[in-house]
Amino acid sequence: MATLRLEVVTPDKTVINTDAEMVICPGVEGEFGVLPHHVSLLSALKIGSLRYRVEGQDKEIFISGGFVDVNNNICSVLAESAEHAHDIDTARAMAAKERAEERLARREEDLDEVRALIALQKATMRLQIAGGL
Amino acid sequence: MPSLKDVKMKIVGVGKTKQITKAMGMVASAKLRGAQSRIERFRPYASKYREVIGALAAKVDGVSHPLLTEHEEKKHCCIVLVTSDRGLCGGFNAAIIAEGLRLAGEARQQGMDVTFLCVGRKGRDAIRKSSYALGTTYGDSMGSVDFALASAVATEVIHKYEDMELDEVWLVYGEFVSMAKQPPASLRLLPLKAPAAESDPDSGPMCEYVYEPSEAKLLEDLLPRYVKVQVYSGLLDTAASEHAARMAAMDNATRNCDELINSLTLLYNKTRQASITSELIDIVGGAEALKG
């Protein structure tokens, strides 16, 4: 079966470097799939889950936004953080979620709403992916 | 001449100092390995960014992004000074601070007022004593450099640049060239200069690319991230350089201890001999007197 190279890179390490049959990316304008020999593409990604299929098995990974570059049958995803479902610290995500919700609920004057919303979104997404196992 | 006991004590003391410097050197070399591998792991990320932004910037010609445009009136300059938290690493921090102050002097001559943003305690302490204003500081952070720190620094300067509070931002750090060479380096963070597109013959013509959303939008999203990437690579370099510099400094110190112990041992033996000789003279003199 035709495959494409999937690389997921964060500032601290290369999280994934494998041959995949299909990749589904959370693009800012909606999810899209990348199959082998996809046309060259550059897209921004939002916080969400990146799904990919290796040897018929579907896998899922959390990414905190970034961008994807597809070129020459190589799909490279650059994200500030990327975590496999089993690597997600659920307790921490839960705490982060509660913190963000509390900040949003209290509506203090110096509230940085955008940041709180992003934190909430990240935490919710992490929990969702970790729970989906 | 010092007494035998004094010399003996001194030898023991220098020996203990040597143990400490040797241990510090070994710790530094272990930490250096860690820091170096982090640079290695960061490299693919950074180079991909440069590649993509170079290609994008070449494509979106004459784009006017707030981070790319030079402000007409230059009044405020910010220097992000990255140093280590701890000393005992030779002239490493002093060289970085000197480079920062040199840049600040130049900016002042051009009529700009200068604020320092310091990462690392050594730089902060030095700037506090200088005539320049000290902005936000991030102390005690070089032990655990992470992307969040780079992100915080970059976000702060980006916001201020966009709000016209700053007109120029420089990054001064210790570049990690090799184990023996860590020169201070400076880099203009803002206004941003897009990296030149590397023409890669294998990648084929660039015009086939599909962009989502538009090129200009993408660039808007990527440029602030690119600033973070640059800050992070400066932080990682400084961390590695610090350990390399400390290793060299501790190596030197250990060698000096050896030399000192050698010369002190020589002195000890001389003193011992002198005292034996004088005792012998006493005994011989006494015996002669008794015979008399």
Side-chain angles (χ1 to χ4, degrees):
Chain A
M1 190 166 181
T3 56
L4 79 162
R5 190 101 202 132
L6 171 66
E7 294 171 0
V8 178
V9 192
T10 68
D12 292 321
K13 63 178 179 208
T14 303
V15 183
I16 300 176
N17 191 355
T18 180
D19 285 319
E21 288 137 30
M22 177 177 74
V23 182
I24 299 175
C25 304
V28 282
E29 294 184 346
E31 284 199 330
F32 59 86
V34 179
L35 291 170
H37 307 293
H38 194 282
V39 68
S40 292
L41 163 85
L42 187 69
S43 169
L45 302 177
K46 61 181 182 186
I47 299 164
S49 78
L50 179 96
R51 281 171 288 156
Y52 59 103
R53 182 174 295 165
V54 179
E55 288 166 5
Q57 274 195 312
D58 284 332
K59 296 182 179 174
E60 194 174 27
I61 184 170
F62 165 82
I63 58 166
S64 65
F67 69 91
V68 58
D69 175 55
V70 184
N71 194 7
N72 266 341
N73 212 24
I74 300 171
C75 173
S76 17
V77 176
L78 277 84
E80 275 178 28
S81 68
E83 288 154 24
H84 287 287
H86 54 82
D87 286 337
I88 292 175
D89 187 342
T90 18
R92 210 183 124 194
M94 197 75 93
K97 187 179 171 207
E98 275 163 20
R99 225 171 25 240
E101 275 169 348
E102 193 190 306
R103 268 208 315 243
L104 286 166
R106 253 195 287 142
R107 299 239 144 253
E108 276 172 6
E109 265 182 31
D110 58 343
L111 175 77
D112 190 342
E113 197 173 338
V114 180
R115 253 186 69 189
L117 278 174
I118 289 176
L120 180 62
Q121 211 181 341
K122 278 186 187 169
T124 320
M125 204 64 222
R126 276 198 172 101
L127 287 174
Q128 196 182 320
I129 292 172
L133 268 178
Chain B
M1 223 165 191
S3 80
L4 260 186
K5 203 176 161 214
D6 285 346
V7 182
K8 187 86 200 164
M9 295 257 284
K10 195 131 195 196
I11 292 176
V12 172
V14 174
K16 282 185 177 159
T17 309
K18 184 184 150 189
Q19 273 182 348
I20 294 172
T21 56
K22 207 171 179 179
M24 278 186 74
M26 283 194 300
V27 170
S29 81
K31 283 191 174 167
L32 173 67
R33 259 197 298 279
Q36 260 181 314
S37 77
R38 294 183 70 178
I39 292 182
E40 288 300 322
R41 277 177 293 171
F42 180 58
R43 204 159 277 159
Y45 191 82
S47 62
K48 192 79 204 170
Y49 252 93
R50 261 192 288 279
E51 196 183 300
V52 166
I53 290 192
L56 258 183
K59 210 153 177 337
V60 190
D61 230 8
V63 71
S64 62
H65 188 272
L67 294 184
L68 288 172
T69 39
E70 300 232 358
H71 293 175
E72 279 173 23
E73 235 185 315
K74 294 206 171 189
K75 276 186 179 164
H76 308 286
C77 174
C78 176
I79 296 177
V80 181
L81 190 68
V82 189
T83 55
S84 72
D85 281 328
R86 292 189 293 158
L88 291 179
C89 45
F92 173 68
N93 286 314
I96 297 177
I97 292 162
E99 172 71 12
L101 291 176
R102 187 187 65 78
L103 267 177
E106 274 178 19
R108 216 176 228 184
Q109 273 187 347
Q110 289 166 21
M112 287 191 272
D113 61 340
V114 182
T115 320
F116 273 93
L117 194 158
C118 295
V119 183
R121 228 165 33 198
K122 286 286 159 188
R124 181 196 68 190
D125 294 347
I127 297 307
R128 211 173 256 167
K129 284 182 209 137
S130 74
S131 59
Y132 295 100
L134 184 63
T136 328
T137 60
Y138 300 84
D140 287 324
S141 44
M142 290 309 284
S144 56
V145 173
D146 57 5
F147 200 75
L149 175 66
S151 194
V153 174
T155 311
E156 183 183 337
V157 293
I158 288 170
H159 277 312
K160 286 191 174 161
Y161 191 80
E162 283 175 339
D163 295 345
M164 307 302 261
E165 280 174 46
L166 291 175
D167 305 308
E168 211 168 82
V169 180
W170 286 79
L171 177 73
V172 181
Y173 64 101
E175 194 182 352
F176 185 74
V177 179
S178 70
M179 295 287 286
K181 213 170 160 202
Q182 304 93 26
S186 56
L187 173 91
R188 198 179 70 176
L189 278 182
L190 298 169
L192 200 64
K193 215 164 56 198
E198 289 158 37
S199 48
D200 188 357
D202 297 333
S203 64
M206 295 293 292
C207 50
E208 288 173 25
Y209 252 89
V210 176
Y211 292 98
E212 190 185 309
S214 67
E215 291 101 315
K217 266 256 181 66
L218 262 177
L219 203 58
E220 208 169 280
D221 189 41
L222 289 182
L223 285 176
R225 289 173 196 260
Y226 184 57
V227 178
K228 290 180 194 174
V229 168
Q230 283 189 320
V231 174
Y232 191 51
S233 81
L235 291 180
L236 285 181
D237 258 34
T238 310
S241 302
E242 176 200 344
H243 296 310
R246 180 164 300 126
M247 236 177 90
M250 287 303 120
D251 248 23
N252 271 336
T254 311
R255 220 168 308 129
N256 282 345
C257 281
D258 276 335
E259 268 172 39
L260 208 54
I261 288 177
N262 276 344
S263 65
L264 280 174
T265 312
L266 206 63
L267 180 66
Y268 177 79
N269 288 340
K270 270 189 193 158
T271 319
R272 193 172 57 93
Q273 269 175 356
S275 74
I276 291 171
T277 313
S278 73
E279 266 172 40
L280 269 179
I281 290 172
D282 277 354
I283 294 168
V284 172
E288 287 293 322
L290 279 178
K291 252 192 229 167

